Amino acid sequence: MLLFPVILFPFLLLLLYFIVRPRPVNIPIKNRHVFITGGSSGIGLALAHQAASQGARVSLLARSLSKLEEAKQSIRLSSGVDVSIFAADVRDHDAVQKAINDAGPIDVLVVNQGVFVPQELEKQGLDEVKFMIDVNLMGSFNVIKAVLPLMKERKDRGPTSIALMSSQAGQVGVYGYTAYSASKFGLRGLAEALQQEVIADNIHVSLIFPPDTDTPGFEQESKVRPELTTILAGSSGSMKADEVAKKALDGIKSGSFIVPCNFEGQMLAIATAGLSPQRSFLMAFIEVAFIGIFRLVALFFQWNWYGSIEQWHAKKKEK
Amino acid sequence: MVLFALLLLLLLYFIVRPRPVTIPIKNRHVFITGGSIGIGLAIAKQAASEGARISLLARSLDKLEEAKQSIRQAYQVDVAIFAADVRDYDTVQSAIKEAGPIDVLVVNHGVYAIQELENQGLDVVKFMIDVNLTGSFNVIKAALPLMKDRKDKEPASIALMSSMAGQVGIYGFAAYSATKFGLRGLAESLQQEVIEDNIHVSIIFPPVTETPGIVEARKNMPELTKIIVGSGGMKAEEIGKITVNGIKSGSFGIPCNFLGQTFAIATAGVSPQRSFLMASLEVVFAGLSRFGGLLFQWNLYGTIEQWHAQKKQA
């Protein structure tokens, strides 16, 4: 009985070594052009700092010119590197296209911009729903579409990357996050299809899944978060922007399709591996071996969450 | 081994949330968006045959009249029809108010254009996002307050029409898959927000279905997509039946065929599962499904590689 896994596991590992697609790849960033949307604050800015200190040429796109100037200053101070800045709203395709043309050929595109306003759909204004979908999802299409032709025609045929900033809310939908989760789940559908469309051009798609991260955006969000959302989301830890940026960059450089940022994120990634591609045969093996257990854990989470929801409503009724 | 299985079943029996529920549709009000043709019309016919009171919402009054006629002829039942574009919240809301309290909301409308993102116009991308995703938010938001305030506190349902392209992204489906994956994020969150009001969310994952929509989409579909997706499809009537049965059983995820069921197990992720039997299957077969998923990707990327190689030779 015990012999069975001992024989099976090496066989499975070997099999997975041969079948994982797309094949593993390494994406260098030193001396290459990294273009980051939403790059003036939060995770985007942290990414910019780290990419610059690793020798990349960095461009930032964001709405506010003054925040971009501050970001540029802070990167110059910390790593002596000059970044290019472009003010544009990702909802405006023409402005995005112009910025991208000005920036020049891009090797690593980090589609990181995002807005989030947590609230029960019943209470949330449709203008806020539309805002999140327009910026997080449609905006990402605008950016990718502007960059793709130039990326496909690049002279240097080295591996390039399109990285999309999702969220743990893009792996599981939670109370208060209908619109935000919709936009972040959407990025995965986009990414899975896009990877198949661009693999022949040596372009590699990555999806990053941070937990709650210490950023100006999160500070804003916390002020309006429904109580129940805070209770439920508390199950996963929070991280600093620098830590997320490091995980994100490592993931981009290793060409991983799904990039979790902490241990809970890794478990979530395995549970939600679904039908996504996996380039690492080791990771594939871990997914196959552990996804069943993590589905069980996920069911426990739902048991816990729905229990909390029930309790919270019961308390409210008593008052 | 058997003991383990029994223990697992017992454990899951107690922990599955939300708890199982049955949603009656006889004599209840079923409101279907995109209800004039295709899957929406099939759902309407199935629900009408089971004694539900039906309302249809769609853009074209002509198509709605035809649908109304065809249901009257087949089932001697009169359905209410409302012409509105789901992108226009105000007209959706007035239609829903006119229709009266809704017991089963079927958010079924959808548009699709299948093409490489590189070749697809952003206006087409925007169209799909606005109709399939934002439009669904419009419909749900319009119906929610009345559903929450309903006098009859029987279980109600909000059902969202996704797609197998909402379980896996495929070449040519970047925008469409984005909208259909998005519906799942919406559904998982929404269920937690409405469970207290005895409202139950379902999301349906049909494969390619023979509808007027797919005929149109096939005209411009990339060759590689056709190779990957194949030429078959299910009948709209079958999807209609499976949808209504799934809604009645309050299931969260509703696959429509065997392949869909394996996709559903593979992509169960952190979604809720009310059936302890289904939950056990998910836990036991998740590993095998993931392995199947990896084989699927191996085959998929192989096909893509071959196709590009052939093109280069030509």
Side-chain angles (χ1 to χ4, degrees), chain A residues 260-277:
Chain A
C261 300
N262 62 4
F263 182 67
E264 291 94 346
Q266 185 62 269
M267 293 197 294
L268 250 183
I270 293 171
T272 59
L275 294 160
S276 64

Side-chain angles (χ1 to χ4, degrees), chain B residues 6 8 26 55 59 94 97 100 119 193 198 231 244 262 265:
Chain B
L6 284 172
L8 181 65
K26 189 176 159 87
S55 294
R59 279 175 297 175
S94 58
K97 280 204 176 125
N119 299 327
E193 293 177 18
N198 205 5
S231 53
V244 173
T262 62
I265 293 174

Side-chain angles (χ1 to χ4, degrees), chain A residues 124 145 275 287 295 302, chain B residues 120 141 270 282 290 297:
Chain A
Q124 187 153 59
K145 193 97 169 97
L275 294 160
E287 286 171 359
R295 176 55 181 160
Q302 290 290 3
Chain B
Q120 187 158 70
K141 188 114 170 91
V270 190
E282 287 170 358
R290 177 54 181 159
Q297 294 292 343

Side-chain angles (χ1 to χ4, degrees), chain A residues 180-194:
Chain A
Y180 186 63
S181 283
S183 70
K184 292 306 193 179
F185 267 73
L187 288 183
R188 177 155 162 179
L190 158 54
E192 286 189 8
L194 184 65

Side-chain angles (χ1 to χ4, degrees), chain A residues 22-27 161-164 195 204-209 247-260 277-280 283:
Chain A
R23 290 191 187 78
V25 72
N26 279 318
I27 299 175
S161 163
I162 296 177
L164 296 144
Q195 177 65 93
H204 306 279
V205 180
S206 294
L207 269 169
I208 300 120
F209 293 97
K247 290 286 187 207
L249 265 180
D250 286 343
I252 289 169
K253 292 191 299 186
S254 70
S256 306
F257 184 76
I258 291 188
V259 182
Q278 175 55 261
R279 298 174 187 253
S280 153
M283 208 50 235

Side-chain angles (χ1 to χ4, degrees), chain A residues 191-264:
Chain A
E192 286 189 8
L194 184 65
Q195 177 65 93
Q196 296 173 24
E197 293 177 18
V198 301
I199 189 70
D201 294 282
N202 206 4
I203 301 173
H204 306 279
V205 180
S206 294
L207 269 169
I208 300 120
F209 293 97
D212 286 342
T213 308
D214 227 326
T215 64
F218 181 61
E219 229 186 284
Q220 281 301 104
E221 189 223 351
S222 306
K223 292 180 186 161
V224 296
R225 220 182 219 201
E227 200 189 323
L228 205 32
T229 303
T230 307
I231 295 172
L232 298 178
S235 336
S236 184
S238 77
M239 287 176 77
K240 297 255 168 277
D242 290 324
E243 300 171 328
V244 171
K246 181 171 194 317
K247 290 286 187 207
L249 265 180
D250 286 343
I252 289 169
K253 292 191 299 186
S254 70
S256 306
F257 184 76
I258 291 188
V259 182
C261 300
N262 62 4
F263 182 67
E264 291 94 346

Side-chain angles (χ1 to χ4, degrees), chain A residues 12-23:
Chain A
L12 183 60
L13 265 165
L14 192 66
L15 183 61
L16 289 171
Y17 177 76
F18 285 107
I19 75 166
V20 287
R21 292 289 186 279
R23 290 191 187 78

